[in-house]
Structure formats: C-alpha cells, structure tokens
Amino acid sequence: MITVVVPIYNNARFLDSLIRQFYQQTASDFEVVFVDDGSTDNPQKIINQIDDDKLIYRYIRQNNQGVGAARNTGIDQAQGQYLMFVDPDDQIMPNFVAEGANVIKKADLGIMSFDLIDAQQNQLISHHQWKNVEYQYSDFLKNFSSLYNSELLFSVFNKVYDAKILKRQQLRFSKLRMGEDFLFNMQYFDLIDSVSLTDVVTYRYMIYGEGTATTSFHGDEFDCSYNNQQYLIDFLNRHNVYDEKLVSLHWSLILAYRFADVRKLKRRGSKEYHFARSQFLEILTIFKKERLVKVMLLPPVRMMKYLVMVTKLNRVFI
C-alpha cells in the first residue's frame, strides 16, 4: 500500500478539487493522510465530507510548525509501504498513485515526470521528463548532473519513497523555511542503492502569481540556499562526481534569485528594500571567498548576468 501525505495550511479552497482527483485514481490500494498544520480556514469541514467508500483517509491537526513538520507527521503516521507527497494547490493525474506503485517496484526511489503549469492561464510552462530507466546507484551517480539539470531531483511531489528506509534511518524534513524538499532528497540519495524513472507525467505543479509564498521576501532565502549548496557540494565530493559546471550554474542562480529579490522590492518601494540590498552586497563577499563559480563554464547569457551582478554594474539595477 502507498501512503500519500498532504500537508494543509490555509489552502482549503483547493481541497474539493484535490479530493475529486483522489476519487479518480486508477489505483485503489492507497491511503491519504491529511495533516492540517494549524489552518484557520477550517479544512476539516471539507475533509469531513469525504465519501468513505471512495477514499481511505485520515485527518490530523497540529499547531502551526511549517510544511516540513507537517510532512514529518505524515511520515510518522503512514501505514503504507511507500510514501508520496502532494501539495493541495497542485493537481494530480488519475495515474499518479498507480504509476508511483509501478515505478518503485524494483528500486529504492521512484521518480516520475511532471509538468509546470501557469495556474492563472492554465498553460504549460515547461515539461520535465526523463526516459524509462532503472539505475543501480553507480549509474545514478554517473547521470546525476544530467538529472539535476533536468530539475527532476529537487522536489518531493514527483517521487515515491520507501517508508522502511525513511523510518529505519529516521530521515525527516528539516526546519528550513525553503529548500527543505531538496535537502530531504539529497539526504535520501545517500541511503539508497537503486533508482527507477518513468517518462509518464503524473503531476501538474501549479505556479501562482504575486503574493504567494514563493514570491514573498523573508530575509533568510540565502541562508536556506547556502545550506543546500553546501550539502550538494559535499555529496558530489563524497561520491567523486564533482561537476564544476553544475556547481557554477547552481551557485550563480542562487545569486540571481537574491538579485531579483532586491529588484522586486525596489520596484514595489518596499520598506524591506534597503535591508535586502545590504544583504545582497554582503552575499557578494561570500561569493568572492567561495570561488565556486567558474565564469567561463556558464552559458553566455548567464555569464553576462553574473558579471553584472558581481561588479559595480549591479548598482545600476539595485
């Protein structure tokens, strides 16, 4: 049996649609654990209306602790042999659970394909897919950089985990406010012997507009990214697959995200702008010290953007 963990926090408006998507699953041998992380919009009212004949489920409420803590509760309460995760504001295809069960049969980790969707326009932004293949760990490492660049390794929503491994190794999500998915996956990669991938799309990751959690500024974004970057570098070094191009691109993108934060705050006239700008200039000293970005390995456009960000030209934009 598969356990699907759904963390809930003030997104009850999406639950009716998600529950219908669970009803439509072609698989039947699964349970759903809804973990309410201190919501104030009464998701329990909607969950109480679930048809027990159509869905095996449990509802757990806890004080607000963050999405990672909610997922940890789901792991602890899971009765299934395998674990999957769904966010309420995304969409799952009817084959989500069935394909998950299929891809994990001969491996310690299953990875499925997914689509990135503009929620407002309901339009495809990008398609993330790999070939149907089963990798022993050595082959997984050989293909790690390519898989990483395909963006299939970052998130938890397109994966199937072995609950026995998680519980035996006591692996749980960290308290990071962002990037906890990536760190969880990187830590899980250290515990497995095999990986199975499918080109079947089972998940639609929905991108919403301004005002969502992904577009807010909290001030700890760089710390979260830096923590993950250090784990990635350590992982690559330990397994003798260090890739200067991969690290350079990823590290330059981290700086680009912070640069974009400052520019957004400046355009909005936000009171947080001066703090963010000061923080960005402090981040530059870390970049100069780390020397992880090999500029000549960056794609031409990214190279130009990076040089703007790290030189005095940045003052023109921020």
Side-chain angles (χ1 to χ4, degrees), residues 40-252:
T40 59
D41 58 354
N42 196 16
Q44 187 172 9
K45 180 180 179 180
I46 298 171
I47 292 172
N48 285 343
Q49 298 172 7
I50 290 177
D51 187 336
D52 293 344
D53 293 329
K54 294 183 178 179
L55 185 65
I56 300 171
Y57 75 97
R58 278 175 289 148
Y59 171 77
I60 301 168
R61 181 174 172 84
Q62 64 185 31
N63 293 329
N64 179 245
Q65 302 170 58
V67 65
R71 288 174 177 155
N72 289 339
T73 297
I75 293 172
D76 293 337
Q77 296 297 320
Q79 297 179 1
Q81 182 181 359
Y82 303 108
L83 271 164
M84 302 174 76
F85 297 93
V86 171
D87 290 332
D89 53 352
D90 292 332
Q91 298 176 359
I92 56 174
M93 310 299 282
N95 61 350
F96 177 69
V97 175
E99 190 62 27
N102 182 59
V103 76
I104 194 67
K105 280 181 181 177
K106 299 179 181 180
D108 298 325
L109 172 67
I111 301 178
M112 301 178 290
S113 299
F114 69 93
D115 288 338
L116 200 63
I117 304 293
D118 180 332
Q120 294 180 328
Q121 302 296 324
N122 195 30
Q123 292 181 346
L124 178 69
I125 297 174
S126 58
H127 189 62
H128 299 272
Q129 190 175 40
W130 199 256
K131 56 190 175 183
N132 293 311
V133 64
E134 294 175 10
Y135 287 136
Q136 292 303 306
Y137 198 64
S138 59
D139 292 322
F140 171 66
L141 291 174
K142 290 177 184 176
N143 287 275
F144 186 86
S145 291
S146 296
L147 284 165
Y148 186 94
N149 290 330
S150 74
E151 300 186 10
L152 288 171
L153 300 184
F154 301 162
S155 302
V156 298
F157 57 72
N158 69 320
K159 296 182 178 62
V160 193
Y161 304 88
D162 189 320
K164 183 172 59 202
I165 294 175
L166 292 177
K167 294 181 178 182
R168 182 177 67 238
Q169 300 294 332
Q170 297 184 324
L171 177 59
R172 298 295 183 269
F173 288 88
S174 74
K175 294 182 179 179
L176 286 175
R177 189 189 56 78
M178 59 178 285
E180 70 281 353
D181 290 17
F182 176 75
L183 182 59
F184 180 84
N185 284 331
M186 290 299 299
Q187 292 172 331
Y188 190 77
F189 296 157
D190 272 327
L191 305 175
I192 60 177
D193 295 318
S194 55
V195 180
S196 179
L197 297 100
T198 176
D199 63 359
V200 178
V201 174
T202 65
Y203 200 95
R204 302 179 87 218
Y205 181 75
M206 312 300 287
I207 300 295
Y208 296 86
E210 293 289 320
T212 65
T214 55
T215 58
S216 300
F217 178 76
H218 296 269
D220 63 345
E221 286 84 354
F222 179 73
D223 289 338
C224 293
S225 298
Y226 185 80
N227 183 74
N228 285 343
Q229 175 75 3
Q230 294 304 110
Y231 196 96
L232 170 64
I233 291 170
D234 178 64
F235 177 90
L236 296 173
N237 281 324
R238 280 189 288 106
H239 295 289
N240 297 313
V241 289
Y242 188 84
D243 184 333
E244 286 187 330
K245 187 175 182 179
L246 183 153
V247 173
S248 293
L249 179 59
H250 185 56
W251 199 217
S252 69

